[in-house]
Amino acid sequence: MTRTLERRSGEVDPGLASQLRLSIRRLSRRLAIERDPRESLPVNAVAVLGLLHRRGEVALSELSAHERVQPPTMTRIVRCLEDADCVVRRPSPSDGRVTLVSLSPRGRDRLLLHRQLGDAWLSQRLAELAPEERDLLSRAAELLEALSHRD
Amino acid sequence: MTRTLERRSGEVDPGLASQLRLSIRRLSRRLAIERDPRESLPVNAVAVLGLLHRRGEVALSELSAHERVQPPTMTRIVRCLEDADCVVRRPSPSDGRVTLVSLSPRGRDRLLLHRQLGDAWLSQRLAELAPEERDLLSRAAELLEALSHRD
DNA sequence: TATTGTTATACTCTATAACTATA
DNA sequence: TATAGTTATAGAGTATAACAATA
């Protein structure tokens, strides 16, 4: 490590938030544009499949909290997944108000397919970077994910 | 530098694109949710103000290419900015088809205000990070911005 | 009464297609 | 003819408000 040029705590570069915010927004937009037209499911629906894959059976309210959408929006997403036979839904045995959602075998297949299609454009761009740059982005991705969940 | 553990070119971690893509998307969504209600202009309109601030007078077609929206969308954004007295618009003297757009003094004020409001949430989160983490994100932001503009 | 989820409705941002005006 | 921009229209994704069912 070279001599540090870092600011003391509290003295944060005022341009960083702007720069990061705009670059996040722009890449998010670009990713939406470069989405493969064969991807039949909405991005958010694929994200839900991913969550179900990791966590098993999850209550709808938990899905909506995790994806940070309102309950009616999650109802819509889950219905879309149900129509595509990607999830199954059942009332909680312990609380009849709760709807438990879980991945179907077909949903698992679709998740893998969509990941492949969805990652294609970005994978290609990442492959053109230097290995150090990919390492940097890998660590950055963890930080960004954590930031998203901060209160 | 320690001994490298990096992969050879072409051997890119297949999970990186997914991880980065999802974290970008999630943070973008969170930023949208945390937007200050006093921000009266759409995010994209503020981005246009920023571009005009850096570049001066710019043709509408160039704005739409840079923001990666279709021309009708940019027409709408520019009209919104014009209604708010943030930009002025005139036909190009050299080519009557072209509309040149530039920042008004009021637009400049609004840009500064919106940056402040728009960065507030993220600034606060960034301030809670370690200085090294902010450094990392600063470099990542440049990479992300560059990725957005790759063909 | 409070909570979970749904239905009904509306808003925001974007796109495509068809058109006008200028070159 | 080709290009820059606009108008008209539609679609995707989200939200709020009002409601039903369960606790």
Side-chain angles (χ1 to χ4, degrees), chain B residues 40-112:
Chain B
S40 47
L41 296 171
V43 187
N44 225 337
V46 180
V48 168
L49 292 183
L51 184 60
L52 295 173
H53 185 57
R54 291 193 299 280
R55 302 260 301 267
E57 202 169 39
V58 176
L60 195 142
S61 56
E62 202 178 337
L63 291 176
S64 91
H66 189 270
E67 295 301 316
R68 292 188 188 269
V69 294
Q70 292 300 312
T73 300
M74 190 48 70
T75 292
R76 213 169 161 277
I77 292 169
V78 168
R79 179 162 47 229
C80 152
L81 288 170
E82 204 179 19
D83 291 346
D85 289 323
C86 290
V87 301
V88 292
R89 196 209 293 245
R90 61 165 185 146
S92 163
S94 60
D95 183 340
R97 296 171 301 180
V98 172
T99 294
L100 295 173
V101 186
S102 58
L103 205 57
S104 72
R106 182 172 160 83
R108 203 180 163 284
D109 292 347
R110 292 287 284 274
L111 173 60
L112 299 180

Side-chain angles (χ1 to χ4, degrees), chain A residues 18 21 29-30 119 148, chain B residues 18 21 30 68 119 148:
Chain A
S18 263
R21 198 163 58 88
R29 168 112 187 101
R30 182 72 193 267
D119 291 344
S148 305
Chain B
S18 263
R21 198 163 56 89
R30 181 72 192 267
R68 292 188 188 269
D119 292 343
S148 305

Side-chain angles (χ1 to χ4, degrees), chain A residues 1 6-31 33-35 39 43-44 46-47 54 66-70 114-115 118-119 121-123 125-129 131-145 147-151, chain B residues 1 6-31 33-35 39 43-44 46-47 54 66-70 114-115 118-119 121-123 125-129 131-145 147-151:
Chain A
M1 271 282 186
E6 289 142 6
R7 292 164 193 81
R8 286 195 311 277
S9 170
E11 285 187 53
V12 177
D13 171 9
L16 176 56
S18 263
Q19 189 194 14
L20 189 56
R21 198 163 58 88
L22 294 173
S23 62
I24 290 285
R25 182 176 162 74
R26 207 178 298 280
L27 185 51
S28 184
R29 168 112 187 101
R30 182 72 193 267
L31 286 167
I33 289 172
E34 299 295 343
R35 226 167 100 83
E39 284 196 73
V43 188
N44 226 337
V46 180
R54 290 193 300 279
H66 189 270
E67 295 302 315
R68 292 186 189 270
V69 295
Q70 293 299 312
H114 273 77
R115 269 200 187 143
D119 291 344
W121 181 83
L122 186 56
S123 286
R125 296 300 145 314
L126 291 173
E128 296 159 9
L129 295 180
E132 305 81 44
E133 292 174 320
R134 283 196 294 270
D135 274 8
L136 180 82
L137 288 179
S138 173
R139 279 178 291 157
E142 289 173 36
L143 284 172
L144 297 178
E145 185 70 34
L147 283 177
S148 305
H149 297 289
R150 287 284 179 102
D151 299 312
Chain B
M1 272 280 188
E6 290 141 5
R7 294 166 192 80
R8 286 196 310 280
S9 170
E11 285 185 55
V12 177
D13 172 9
L16 176 55
S18 263
Q19 189 194 14
L20 189 56
R21 198 163 56 89
L22 293 174
S23 63
I24 290 286
R25 183 175 163 75
R26 205 177 300 279
L27 185 50
S28 184
R29 168 108 187 103
R30 181 72 192 267
L31 286 166
I33 290 171
E34 298 296 343
R35 230 167 97 82
E39 284 196 74
V43 187
N44 225 337
V46 180
R54 291 193 299 280
H66 189 270
E67 295 301 316
R68 292 188 188 269
V69 294
Q70 292 300 312
H114 273 76
R115 271 200 184 143
D119 292 343
W121 181 85
L122 186 55
S123 286
R125 298 301 146 310
L126 290 173
E128 296 158 10
L129 296 180
E132 304 80 44
E133 292 174 320
R134 283 196 293 270
D135 274 8
L136 180 82
L137 288 179
S138 174
R139 278 179 292 156
E142 290 174 37
L143 283 173
L144 297 177
E145 185 70 33
L147 283 177
S148 305
H149 297 290
R150 287 282 178 104
D151 300 313

Side-chain angles (χ1 to χ4, degrees), chain A residues 9-142:
Chain A
S9 170
E11 285 187 53
V12 177
D13 171 9
L16 176 56
S18 263
Q19 189 194 14
L20 189 56
R21 198 163 58 88
L22 294 173
S23 62
I24 290 285
R25 182 176 162 74
R26 207 178 298 280
L27 185 51
S28 184
R29 168 112 187 101
R30 182 72 193 267
L31 286 167
I33 289 172
E34 299 295 343
R35 226 167 100 83
D36 191 306
R38 285 171 296 176
E39 284 196 73
S40 47
L41 297 171
V43 188
N44 226 337
V46 180
V48 167
L49 291 183
L51 184 60
L52 294 174
H53 185 56
R54 290 193 300 279
R55 303 259 300 267
E57 203 171 37
V58 176
L60 195 142
S61 57
E62 202 178 336
L63 291 176
S64 93
H66 189 270
E67 295 302 315
R68 292 186 189 270
V69 295
Q70 293 299 312
T73 299
M74 189 49 70
T75 293
R76 217 168 158 277
I77 293 169
V78 168
R79 180 162 46 229
C80 151
L81 288 170
E82 205 179 19
D83 291 347
D85 288 324
C86 290
V87 301
V88 291
R89 199 210 290 248
R90 63 165 185 147
S92 164
S94 60
D95 184 339
R97 295 171 301 181
V98 172
T99 294
L100 295 173
V101 186
S102 58
L103 205 57
S104 72
R106 182 172 160 81
R108 204 181 163 282
D109 292 347
R110 292 288 285 275
L111 172 60
L112 300 180
L113 170 68
H114 273 77
R115 269 200 187 143
Q116 212 176 337
L117 291 172
D119 291 344
W121 181 83
L122 186 56
S123 286
Q124 206 144 6
R125 296 300 145 314
L126 291 173
E128 296 159 9
L129 295 180
E132 305 81 44
E133 292 174 320
R134 283 196 294 270
D135 274 8
L136 180 82
L137 288 179
S138 173
R139 279 178 291 157
E142 289 173 36

